[in-house]
Amino acid sequence: MEVLEEKEEEEQKEEELKALEISSELHDTKTKLSVEQICFSSDVPDFDWNSIDTSQLPDSYKMNSPREKKLLRIADHYHQQYTHLCPERKPLFLHPVNECGVEKFVSTTVRPTLLPYTELYHWDGCASFVSDYLTMEPLKCPLTPPSSLYSPTTILKYQRGNCFDFSVLLCSMLIGAGYDAYCVNGYATHNICSLDESLEECPLLRKPQEVPKEDVKKSNKYRVKSLPDMHSKFELQQEAKKKAETEATEKKERGERDMEAEEPTCDHLCGLRVHAWVLVLSGKREVPETFFIDPFTGNSYSTMDEQFLGIESVWNHKNYWVNMQDCRNGCKDLVFDLSDAVHWEIMLSETDKPLQLLLGAEKKNELFDRNVDDMEEEEEEEEEEISFAMPPSWVAPIQISPKEFETRCSQGRKVILYKKAKLEKWAPYFNGNGLVKRLTIYADSNWTEAVEVKEWFKNREDMLDMREVNKQTQLTTEYFSPGHLFGLKVHAYKSMNPQTERVMEFYTETRVDGLQKLAENASEMKEYFMGRDDFKYFQHTEFRTKRKKVTLAGVGTDVNSRPIVQIKECFHRNLQKPADEDIAERVFLIEEEMIQLTYHLKDKYITASKKDFFKPTESYRKQSEIMTPEMCITYQAGSSEQHTKLVHLYKLLQKLTEEEKQLKQQVWRSQAEMNAKKDEFPGQNEQDLDYLAPFLIQMGSPEKMTRRQALRLRDNCLSDFKNRLVSKANIIQARFEKEVEELQKKNQLFQENQNQLSEKEEADLLADYSETMFRIHILALRLDREKQTAPQKYLALEEKLRKDPRLAEHLGHA
């Protein structure tokens, strides 16, 4: 019985073992099928590389030189040793075929090149150019390196490639710029390999870490003690606790929703996905620390980054190294000293010593079992490897024309999706309004609810650099470079309509009036000054809300001339004058016909000297006595007597009255600048206009055109646009001359009838005079701007027509 039971147990174990073997075979089969499905699913390229024309390529692309053939033999021998000593590792990426079907060693595909563009002298400029210029193609099989590696010149020509193509081009540019750069064949996460940045924070939104500063509290035993807080601390603590709990709950719920939306799916191929990137070693070009560059994004990464999971090999234009270190922890623990033979196995020895493999001891034992002839042959091959130097690159010189460098993005535009953000890039001059980059920030992970938009511009006449639009508050903030017509630096507004709330900051050094900041709304305007000779630093103008609408012919802008209620000025201390003669504040009460002067405080005084002037009315002017004591109330700090004579007060009043007129003109000019800013540059809508449409209709809208028709269409369009620019300038010029003529008539009428006008008639005439001056100033600004912008507008349209696909094939470089 016991023997039978033992036999049954043995048979059961055998059956279990067979079942395990069958299940493992099925598992292997499923794994193979899944790998095959992965390879086949991605084997649908967007571009047919088999259709490219290779007939015009140099001979070096189509054949190997004797040195290249010898290099391939050395590489094969090196690979045999590698597979013998490391049978568990994947085959090395050594000599894939090029675009002509010829095997080329990977190091000879690297073509060090320094391109004549300042931006490409630095690693970040090179990385940015490669990531923008090329279109990413995934590997046909994500688990194995590609079977081909095309030249950087072909990749640049067709503006597309896989991670290996990107890396070889970038490495060529970096080595040419003086960096110690290497191409890397390794493994990375799915997001890195597939250029999926939807879970990454946009680099433009990353804020540098600020070092906290310790606040040094200075004790002052003489300070006045604050009143005791009579609120209940317990109630305040309870309210704060309740508020904190509510906020924590809301934050937790919001975080859970975000986590559900952003939680990455489990990658079953993690650690197996092949990727190529660039390694930059420290030392050359003052690089302080070794780092990685992902060629798809152009971003730099630490060698400790968890997204890079392992390295098989690295190479440059001189040699090839195999990583012999354990990559179970990714690249965190790797040593990047390529001269260390323990950690890196070099292919072409750079010393007089023979090649050293990690398992050299095993090799010696095996050599003893071989015959003497085999040993002699291998020694000869090793001697060849020792004395052999890498042949020069077979790739033609890498060239990038200025037009290609400026165009950058494939088809002129590139879109990148980040975590709750979308980044759009355009080539310079692609958009008529100079837009080159736009970052849209969203409240959700599906990129539907926009919260904020940031736009960057280049080559704009008005020197606009960046614009920020807050979609929630509708606040727009524009930033300008030096060179704006009015010296504008920052412009913040919610609407471009006149007299709406806005704030402007200026480059003070470029303005004659020293204006630093201007803030305006419907009822007031505040101006801040700096570095003025008259020591003025602030001006506050109040308006009446009732407005009189003035339409300027030929300008296309409605201007609201607002009645001024009062103008207040503030001045810094002028040490060249006595304090009681140095004005600190003066207020012009326009409607009340008053002028108030307040002087700076004298030393050891707590009150300042003051003067209040009352302008003479019509009845006073008709009397023989022009100035009376009642027209000026004076307070002299430290004295009860009246020291100033009436004649001096009268002269001061005349001077203040004249300065009041000048201040009004200055306010009109400030408003004119506000309104001229509205139309200073064509917007987004203008770039979408089809200038050819009316002329195509006149030609009968032909589907195809001859070269002669295309030239005539272009010339007619440019001629019409030029005539419209001239006509617009002429209209503004005619209106300007008419307003000047009317101003001269009004001035003459005022001089002739000044003594006969009533007070009301004189006030109305002066108001009309001021409005005319205001219109003249705006027209002068518009006319000057039209004369400056007309040539640029004409050239911009000419360039746009040259790039128009309906004309481009016929015009060429005409």
Side-chain angles (χ1 to χ4, degrees):
M1 291 293 292
E2 292 179 358
V3 175
L4 289 174
E5 287 178 358
E6 289 177 0
K7 286 184 178 180
E8 288 178 357
E9 287 178 1
E10 289 178 359
E11 290 176 357
Q12 187 175 356
K13 287 181 180 179
E14 288 178 0
E15 290 178 357
E16 289 177 356
L17 289 172
K18 288 180 181 178
L20 287 172
E21 289 176 1
I22 293 170
S23 64
S24 63
E25 289 176 3
L26 287 172
H27 180 268
D28 293 341
T29 306
K30 288 179 180 178
T31 305
K32 291 178 181 178
L33 286 172
S34 64
V35 171
E36 290 175 0
Q37 288 171 358
I38 290 166
C39 295
F40 288 135
S41 63
S42 62
D43 194 9
V44 185
D46 296 330
F47 180 76
D48 184 10
W49 285 103
N50 295 324
S51 63
I52 65 172
D53 182 18
T54 60
S55 59
Q56 303 300 319
L57 295 176
D59 291 340
S60 61
Y61 286 58
K62 303 173 183 178
M63 62 182 67
N64 283 320
S65 66
R67 291 186 64 190
E68 286 180 300
K69 293 177 181 178
K70 185 176 180 180
L71 176 63
L72 294 178
R73 291 197 300 271
I74 294 173
D76 288 337
H77 174 64
Y78 180 81
H79 191 261
Q80 288 175 3
Q81 290 180 319
Y82 171 79
T83 52
H84 178 72
L85 298 173
C86 307
E88 74 285 355
R89 293 183 61 173
K90 291 185 178 181
L92 295 175
F93 185 66
L94 290 172
H95 43 69
V97 298
N98 66 358
E99 53 265 52
C100 296
V102 178
E103 287 188 358
K104 295 287 185 178
F105 190 69
V106 289
S107 293
T108 61
T109 308
V110 178
R111 183 65 150 91
T113 304
L114 178 62
L115 294 163
Y117 304 104
T118 306
E119 184 180 341
L120 302 185
Y121 293 169
H122 306 280
W123 74 263
D124 50 348
C126 294
S128 176
F129 174 81
V130 171
S131 64
D132 289 343
Y133 191 76
L134 301 182
T135 299
M136 171 265 192
E137 287 186 348
L139 293 173
K140 292 183 178 180
C141 179
L143 306 182
T144 57
S147 58
S148 60
L149 183 66
Y150 292 178
S151 65
T153 54
T154 298
I155 297 303
L156 281 171
K157 180 179 179 180
Y158 295 99
Q159 287 188 255
R160 57 198 313 115
N162 57 44
C163 54
F164 286 82
D165 301 319
F166 274 65
S167 298
V168 169
L169 173 59
L170 177 57
C171 190
S172 300
M173 296 169 66
L174 291 175
I175 295 174
Y179 289 93
D180 192 9
Y182 303 80
C183 297
V184 180
N185 171 27
Y187 306 93
T189 61
H190 178 262
N191 291 342
I192 290 286
C193 297
S194 60
L195 190 53
D196 182 6
E197 300 179 86
S198 59
L199 297 180
E200 297 289 328
E201 185 180 14
C202 179
L204 298 175
L205 297 177
R206 294 172 189 162
K207 296 180 180 179
Q209 294 182 351
E210 296 182 359
V211 179
K213 296 182 180 179
E214 296 182 357
D215 296 332
V216 181
K217 295 184 178 179
K218 296 182 179 180
S219 60
N220 186 359
K221 62 180 180 179
Y222 299 109
R223 65 183 176 86
V224 178
K225 293 183 178 180
S226 59
L227 294 173
D229 188 4
M230 305 302 294
H231 294 90
S232 171
K233 293 184 178 179
F234 177 76
E235 290 179 356
L236 292 174
Q237 289 176 356
Q238 292 300 314
E239 290 178 3
K241 185 178 179 181
K242 187 176 180 181
K243 185 179 179 181
E245 289 176 355
T246 306
E247 291 179 353
T249 304
E250 293 177 354
K251 186 176 181 181
K252 184 179 180 181
E253 292 176 354
R254 190 165 54 249
E256 288 176 355
R257 289 195 301 267
D258 292 343
M259 286 295 291
E260 289 176 2
E262 298 168 8
E263 186 176 358
T265 57
C266 180
D267 184 14
H268 299 289
L269 299 177
C270 182
L272 301 176
R273 294 183 182 275
V274 172
H275 189 59
W277 63 94
V278 174
L279 166 70
V280 180
L281 296 183
S282 59
K284 288 187 177 180
R285 288 295 303 268
E286 299 181 354
V287 175
E289 188 177 354
T290 300
F291 63 96
F292 294 150
I293 303 176
D294 179 31
F296 282 164
T297 62
N299 297 332
S300 63
Y301 296 87
S302 166
T303 56
M304 308 283 287
D305 196 288
E306 295 180 353
Q307 297 182 93
F308 298 91
L309 306 177
I311 294 177
E312 289 285 357
S313 60
V314 301
W315 68 91
N316 63 2
H317 62 302
K318 292 182 177 179
N319 221 319
Y320 189 96
W321 294 261
V322 174
N323 176 32
M324 306 304 293
Q325 303 170 75
D326 190 354
C327 292
R328 293 177 186 177
N329 296 323
C331 300
K332 294 179 181 179
D333 304 327
L334 297 188
V335 176
F336 289 97
D337 181 8
L338 300 182
S339 63
D340 186 348
V342 175
H343 296 119
W344 296 91
E345 186 61 49
I346 194 170
M347 192 182 88
L348 299 179
S349 179
E350 296 175 341
T351 65
D352 294 333
K353 298 178 182 179
L355 286 176
Q356 299 175 1
L357 291 172
L358 270 179
L359 306 178
E362 293 184 11
K363 178 182 174 183
K364 289 180 180 178
N365 293 333
E366 291 175 4
L367 287 176
F368 281 116
D369 299 334
R370 298 181 186 178
N371 56 43
V372 178
D373 295 336
D374 291 341
M375 288 180 60
E376 290 177 355
E377 289 178 4
E378 190 161 326
E379 287 175 359
E380 289 176 2
E381 289 177 355
E382 287 184 356
E383 288 176 2
E384 286 182 358
E385 294 174 14
I386 294 169
S387 61
F388 187 79
M390 187 70 66
S393 176
W394 55 273
V395 179
I398 298 174
Q399 296 178 346
I400 300 173
S401 67
K403 182 180 178 181
E404 292 170 337
F405 180 71
E406 289 292 338
T407 303
R408 286 293 181 96
C409 309
S410 179
Q411 301 178 351
R413 181 173 181 262
K414 184 176 183 179
V415 180
I416 307 172
L417 293 176
Y418 292 101
K419 179 182 178 181
K420 296 184 180 180
K422 179 174 72 172
L423 180 62
E424 300 169 88
K425 294 181 180 181
W426 290 271
Y429 305 105
F430 185 84
N431 292 318
N433 62 350
L435 180 64
V436 294
K437 188 162 55 177
R438 178 191 291 138
L439 174 65
T440 307
I441 304 169
Y442 296 88
D444 60 330
S445 301
N446 297 322
W447 308 286
T448 56
E449 184 183 347
V451 175
E452 186 179 1
V453 178
K454 296 182 180 181
E455 295 177 326
W456 286 263
F457 301 85
K458 280 187 179 180
N459 309 308
R460 280 186 60 128
E461 177 200 353
D462 62 352
M463 310 305 293
L464 177 62
D465 271 344
M466 189 180 77
R467 177 187 294 136
E468 295 179 349
V469 181
N470 190 315
K471 293 292 187 178
Q472 296 175 327
T473 62
Q474 298 302 314
L475 177 65
T476 300
T477 307
E478 297 176 334
Y479 300 89
F480 298 81
S481 295
H484 187 272
L485 180 63
F486 303 129
L488 190 60
K489 184 178 182 180
V490 182
H491 183 201
Y493 58 91
K494 290 187 177 180
S495 171
M496 290 301 291
N497 295 326
Q499 286 87 55
T500 53
E501 186 175 354
R502 69 185 66 203
V503 177
M504 289 182 173
E505 295 180 17
F506 300 87
Y507 291 97
T508 310
E509 60 275 8
T510 65
R511 292 188 63 97
V512 179
D513 59 358
L515 182 62
Q516 182 185 25
K517 182 180 177 181
L518 187 152
E520 182 199 33
N521 57 35
S523 60
E524 63 179 359
M525 181 167 65
K526 296 179 181 179
E527 297 172 274
Y528 302 82
F529 302 90
M530 190 172 66
R532 285 177 62 111
D533 296 335
D534 60 359
F535 294 90
K536 182 164 79 171
Y537 67 90
F538 178 70
Q539 179 173 313
H540 181 208
T541 306
E542 291 185 14
F543 302 96
R544 213 164 355 115
T545 54
K546 185 179 179 181
R547 305 171 185 174
K548 180 180 178 183
K549 203 169 193 180
V550 181
T551 302
L552 302 182
V555 179
T557 305
D558 290 337
V559 178
N560 292 316
S561 179
R562 296 172 289 175
I564 300 174
V565 176
Q566 75 169 35
I567 302 174
K568 175 184 175 182
E569 296 178 293
C570 298
F571 300 86
H572 287 299
R573 180 75 173 90
N574 183 3
L575 298 177
Q576 302 297 323
K577 295 180 180 181
D580 54 359
E581 295 180 12
D582 186 16
I583 297 175
E585 178 183 295
R586 65 182 183 182
V587 182
F588 297 90
L589 301 170
I590 309 299
E591 294 186 339
E592 299 178 22
E593 298 287 334
M594 282 183 61
I595 301 174
Q596 298 175 342
L597 301 181
T598 303
Y599 294 86
H600 283 279
L601 283 170
K602 293 194 293 185
D603 292 340
K604 301 180 182 180
Y605 280 77
I606 60 174
T607 58
S609 301
K610 294 184 179 181
K611 287 186 177 73
D612 291 348
F613 289 93
F614 299 88
K615 292 182 183 178
T617 60
E618 182 182 357
S619 59
Y620 272 108
R621 284 200 303 268
K622 291 180 179 178
Q623 296 177 3
S624 56
E625 189 176 5
I626 299 176
M627 189 76 181
T628 61
E630 292 78 12
M631 294 172 61
C632 180
I633 300 175
T634 303
Y635 167 71
Q636 191 72 24
S639 175
S640 58
E641 298 181 3
Q642 183 79 13
H643 296 290
T644 309
K645 295 181 179 180
L646 289 177
V647 63
H648 297 301
L649 292 174
Y650 176 69
K651 290 182 178 178
L652 179 57
L653 178 58
Q654 282 186 319
K655 180 183 177 184
L656 291 172
T657 304
E658 185 61 33
E659 289 180 350
E660 180 182 322
K661 293 179 181 178
Q662 294 176 3
L663 275 176
K664 287 181 179 179
Q665 299 302 321
Q666 185 262 325
V667 171
W668 300 131
R669 286 194 294 271
S670 297
Q671 289 188 85
E673 289 185 13
M674 286 284 195
N675 291 282
K677 171 71 181 71
K678 179 180 177 182
D679 306 313
E680 66 182 5
F681 200 82
Q684 181 71 28
N685 294 333
E686 185 171 333
Q687 69 167 344
D688 298 329
L689 294 177
D690 188 357
Y691 292 97
L692 293 177
F695 303 97
L696 286 170
I697 294 173
Q698 293 176 7
M699 296 175 60
S701 301
E703 294 183 1
K704 293 184 178 180
M705 287 186 292
T706 63
R707 176 178 171 79
R708 184 176 179 182
Q709 288 176 320
L711 288 171
R712 187 172 74 248
L713 181 63
R714 180 200 65 177
D715 294 342
N716 290 344
C717 182
L718 290 174
S719 177
D720 179 77
F721 185 69
K722 180 179 179 181
N723 292 337
R724 285 193 287 117
L725 291 175
V726 173
S727 176
K728 185 177 181 180
N730 289 338
I731 291 172
I732 300 174
Q733 178 73 34
R735 183 60 180 166
F736 175 79
E737 294 174 353
K738 184 178 180 181
E739 291 288 349
V740 171
E741 185 180 349
E742 289 183 5
L743 181 66
Q744 292 173 349
K745 290 179 180 179
K746 291 175 183 178
N747 189 27
Q748 184 179 358
L749 180 64
F750 179 75
Q751 295 294 335
E752 292 175 353
N753 304 313
Q754 185 175 6
N755 297 327
Q756 302 175 8
L757 295 173
S758 65
E759 184 179 355
K760 184 177 183 304
E761 289 174 339
E762 183 179 347
D764 291 341
L765 188 59
L766 286 173
D768 189 30
Y769 182 87
S770 298
E771 288 181 2
T772 306
M773 285 291 295
F774 180 46
R775 291 195 297 268
I776 289 174
H777 186 71
I778 290 183
L779 287 166
L781 290 173
R782 292 295 298 159
L783 184 61
D784 183 60
R785 181 160 289 278
E786 284 297 324
K787 289 180 178 178
Q788 290 183 8
T789 60
Q792 285 85 357
K793 290 179 180 178
Y794 183 86
L795 292 175
L797 178 60
E798 189 176 36
E799 179 67 13
K800 187 173 182 178
L801 294 178
R802 188 180 67 81
K803 294 180 179 179
D804 193 296
R806 293 167 293 185
L807 301 178
E809 60 177 324
H810 300 289
L811 299 181
H813 298 285

